Amino acid sequence: MSKLVLLQGGQATPFALTEEQNVIGRLPECAIQLQSNMVSRKHAEVAKSDGKFLVRDLGSGNGTFLNGKKVETPTALKHNDRLKVGPMLFRFETDEPQPPAAEIQESDFLADDSEGSTIMATATNLDGFGMLDVAPEAKLKGVLEISRNLAGSVEIDKILPKILDTLFRIFPGSDRGSIVLKDSESGTLRPAAQKHRNPTEDETVKLSRTVLNKVIQEKAGILSADASSDQQFSAAESISALSIRSMMCVPIIDLEGEAIGAINIDTQNPISQFKQEDLEILLAIAGQAGITIANARLYESFLQKQKQDSEMQIAQNVQVALLPESLPEIEGYSFFASYESAQAVGGDYYDCFKLPDNRVVVSFGDVAGKGVPASLVMSRIASVVQCTLKHETDVQQAMLTINDLMSSHSIDGRFVTYVLCVIDLNSHEITFANGGHMCPIVRKADGSLIEIGEEEIGIPVGIMEGYPYEIVKYTLNPGETVVIYTDGVSEAMNSKEELYGMERLNEIVSHNSSDPEELGIVIREDVRKHAGGFPQNDDITLMTFGRTE
């Protein structure tokens, strides 16, 4: 529900806008009755039109002001707009969804002052704490106070109000203060915090565009000792409305010496004007505030990194859960698998499980790419294979179904090189279907090697629906072992950028044990030996299986 909140005497009194037309005035029949001689009998009206509330002045004697500007024509109200009816200040609130803070426009807090700006004094902040050789006692006191008040603060949303509270104690004549910070992505200056001496006054503090640009670009503090004659406010609101007599604006410098924002304070008291030493003290305080803000941002980045690491650990656990917890134990056969992702999660995949008709499925794939995108595709093919093989007994048809399912919701560039093997434990015949993957290597009992199905290799899975994959069959004899691997094995690189290579892989397979588990471990360790601790640039996965002698 939308409402107007009356800000008066330190209290906030809400008035619900339940009618299509809500009149504000002194008369008892007004929806919002105000007891003030400066308010007309029927002063203004807030009416709903096309889902929006518009404010209209009803010919009042003292006028109606929206965000400091006189209402001449019906004007739409936005969340947190300030409406002034005579001496009464309202805040408009609505529970409708609002745009994110990043969409705040500079015009909301910057005053356009193309006519120029009269700057009474400047001071530079070269070392983060201002010129401490000038009024050192006062500056040291200010730095100590701001340090004490900010001690233990690690959240920027809590730090900024503390900075303004401290400034109001150090500069008792301050009436309004604001802090603007640069958006880390766009670099645009945006209001981050503001404070008013009078709790009933919460209008947005407007800053001079000229002054703010000079402060940020030149990293210099600026003092206007008599704002009533300073043209920098001429294009903002009338000087009678702002009632600013003196103001200071200084940059906030980060650890790299870059201006990341600015602090502005002003006073409406014509007697309590700011002086040059006040500007230098504010510079020193801003230096400490800049360090605190920079540290808070680093801490926020650290927390975000921790959160991401935690989420990646969860993703890694989920992916590992998709891989088989154990491989089948079958008399006369041995199975081995090794999986090492290059990142927290990867795109390599393998599976091995028994079917009811005394057959065993060996499923092996490599998703194009690495990291999270590849892992998502990997999880999809893992589920597709499980579902398909539980209902489809024919290997060729199963391969066609897997490809069609992966292709129907494919992502550009995220195909899978894939090998499907089904072992008939009665006849020891293996039926292979290959979608763009390296040919499986068969090590015979005498150590000689052959590659299976080179002429039958089809396109990778997930590229084109309806592709007619071919199958090839091979009868596995005792003492023969099948080796399936991803290119992370053959293309493993060392510090000299030398690849592991097929020649070395074939030599290791040929001259070592025919036992699948022993051979798999030897291959894995030899790849690690070749890399010599050099970071792997791809997932490294291999499977070995065969008949024991």
Side-chain angles (χ1 to χ4, degrees):
M1 178 182 293
S2 299
K3 57 188 174 184
L4 285 176
V5 180
L6 176 62
L7 306 172
Q8 186 180 33
Q11 296 182 344
T13 306
F15 292 91
L17 300 176
T18 57
E19 307 291 337
E20 291 296 320
Q21 294 179 322
N22 302 270
V23 178
I24 306 171
R26 291 203 321 269
L27 293 178
E29 60 263 30
C30 292
I32 301 176
Q33 184 184 15
L34 302 177
Q35 299 296 333
S36 173
N37 291 331
M38 298 181 66
V39 176
S40 300
R41 289 178 295 175
K42 289 188 176 181
H43 195 108
E45 177 187 67
V46 176
K48 194 169 186 179
S49 176
D50 297 328
K52 296 181 179 180
F53 282 99
L54 287 80
V55 60
R56 179 170 65 96
D57 186 76
L58 300 178
S60 64
N62 292 311
T64 303
F65 294 84
L66 180 61
N67 298 325
K69 295 182 180 179
K70 190 172 183 179
V71 176
E72 304 287 355
T73 59
T75 306
L77 291 171
K78 302 188 300 296
H79 184 64
N80 274 338
D81 273 353
R82 271 48 175 184
L83 182 65
K84 204 166 187 180
V85 179
M88 305 295 190
L89 179 64
F90 291 89
R91 181 176 65 240
F92 176 72
E93 295 181 359
T94 178
D95 53 7
E96 296 178 0
Q98 301 300 310
E103 296 182 8
I104 297 175
Q105 301 298 316
E106 287 188 355
S107 58
D108 292 339
F109 72 99
L110 286 183
D112 213 355
D113 45 14
S114 56
E115 297 181 15
S117 175
T118 304
I119 297 170
M120 308 303 295
T122 64
T124 56
N125 184 346
L126 300 179
D127 61 2
F129 290 100
M131 299 171 288
L132 286 175
D133 56 331
V134 181
E137 298 86 356
K139 289 188 178 182
L140 182 59
K141 180 180 178 182
V143 171
L144 289 175
E145 184 166 352
I146 197 77
S147 299
R148 182 173 62 253
N149 290 337
L150 298 182
S153 299
V154 292
E155 298 177 30
I156 292 182
D157 291 343
K158 295 181 179 179
I159 288 174
L160 301 182
K162 285 186 177 181
I163 293 174
L164 291 176
D165 290 341
T166 304
L167 290 177
F168 273 50
R169 286 195 294 270
I170 295 175
F171 303 105
S174 302
D175 288 308
R176 290 179 289 201
S178 63
I179 298 176
V180 296
L181 294 177
K182 277 186 179 180
D183 183 86
S184 57
E185 296 182 359
S186 65
T188 304
L189 288 170
R190 303 195 182 281
Q194 66 175 27
K195 179 180 175 64
H196 293 261
R197 178 76 64 184
N198 185 347
T200 65
E201 184 181 352
D202 62 350
E203 294 182 8
T204 301
V205 179
K206 291 204 172 185
L207 310 181
S208 162
R209 188 184 300 271
T210 300
V211 169
L212 192 58
N213 286 340
K214 184 177 181 65
V215 166
I216 296 297
Q217 294 171 9
E218 300 182 10
K219 303 176 187 176
I222 288 178
L223 165 68
S224 178
D226 187 6
S228 60
S229 61
D230 197 332
Q231 292 182 4
Q232 65 191 347
F233 300 109
S234 61
E237 299 178 31
S238 66
I239 200 66
S240 60
L242 285 172
S243 302
I244 295 176
R245 298 298 179 181
S246 180
M247 58 80 65
M248 294 188 293
C249 188
V250 298
I252 300 174
I253 308 297
D254 66 6
L255 299 175
E256 285 74 37
E258 295 298 322
I260 59 173
I263 300 176
N264 180 90
I265 59 174
D266 62 55
T267 178
Q268 297 171 308
N269 192 331
I271 300 177
S272 302
Q273 293 187 349
F274 297 122
K275 302 177 182 178
Q276 179 71 26
E277 51 265 35
D278 294 327
L279 180 63
E280 293 164 1
I281 293 172
L282 183 58
L283 274 169
I285 294 172
Q288 179 61 37
I291 293 174
T292 304
I293 291 172
N295 288 337
R297 284 182 168 178
L298 289 175
Y299 183 71
E300 286 182 354
S301 298
F302 170 72
L303 292 180
Q304 185 64 27
K305 180 66 166 57
Q306 277 193 324
K307 180 181 178 182
Q308 292 175 351
D309 290 345
S310 176
E311 291 174 349
M312 288 303 295
Q313 183 61 51
I314 294 172
Q316 186 180 46
N317 294 339
V318 170
Q319 186 173 40
V320 170
L322 294 173
L323 301 175
E325 293 184 4
S326 61
L327 299 176
E329 295 183 5
I330 299 171
E331 185 177 356
Y333 278 82
S334 178
F335 297 85
F336 172 82
S338 175
Y339 172 84
E340 297 178 15
S341 61
Q343 301 178 16
V345 290
D348 283 3
Y349 150 79
Y350 72 88
D351 202 355
C352 186
F353 54 93
K354 292 185 67 175
L355 294 176
D357 51 356
N358 207 29
R359 296 191 303 165
V360 175
V361 174
V362 175
S363 180
F364 194 90
D366 182 2
V367 179
K370 297 182 288 294
V372 174
S375 71
L376 295 175
V377 179
M378 174 268 188
S379 64
R380 175 168 170 75
I381 193 170
S383 61
V384 166
V385 170
Q386 284 278 349
C387 293
T388 301
L389 269 298
K390 286 181 179 179
H391 302 93
E392 182 57 63
T393 59
D394 182 77
V395 176
Q396 186 175 34
Q397 185 58 47
M399 186 70 172
L400 295 175
T401 302
I402 291 169
N403 175 60
D404 287 349
L405 290 172
M406 293 299 295
S407 299
S408 62
H409 295 87
S410 63
I411 303 174
D412 291 341
R414 296 295 173 182
F415 55 84
V416 186
T417 62
Y418 177 68
V419 175
L420 176 62
C421 311
V422 176
I423 308 169
D424 188 327
L425 298 177
N426 296 322
S427 64
H428 306 295
E429 183 180 69
I430 307 176
T431 304
F432 292 91
N434 193 331
H437 201 79
M438 288 80 70
C439 292
I441 300 173
V442 176
R443 182 195 186 281
K444 292 182 173 291
D446 60 2
S448 60
L449 308 178
I450 61 172
E451 292 186 345
I452 298 296
E454 184 175 1
E455 295 182 357
E456 288 81 13
I457 295 178
I459 65 173
V461 168
I463 293 179
M464 182 178 69
E465 291 186 59
Y467 183 83
Y469 289 95
E470 299 181 41
I471 60 171
V472 60
K473 297 185 177 183
Y474 180 83
T475 300
L476 197 64
N477 296 308
E480 292 185 342
T481 301
V482 179
V483 179
I484 311 177
Y485 58 95
T486 62
D487 54 8
V489 173
S490 57
E491 298 178 3
M493 190 178 296
N494 60 18
S495 58
K496 298 179 181 179
E497 297 187 355
E498 298 170 337
L499 299 179
Y500 185 76
M502 286 302 304
E503 183 177 348
R504 182 166 176 171
L505 176 61
N506 288 334
E507 184 177 351
I508 290 295
V509 173
S510 177
H511 293 86
N512 282 278
S513 172
S514 63
D515 180 80
E517 183 173 357
E518 292 180 7
L519 180 59
I521 293 173
V522 169
I523 296 172
R524 182 185 66 190
E525 295 306 316
D526 194 59
V527 171
R528 291 175 178 174
K529 179 181 177 181
H530 169 78
F534 190 73
Q536 64 188 78
N537 59 1
D538 200 356
D539 304 328
I540 298 176
T541 307
L542 67 96
M543 284 192 73
T544 54
F545 65 91
R547 293 181 65 184
T548 55
E549 295 189 53

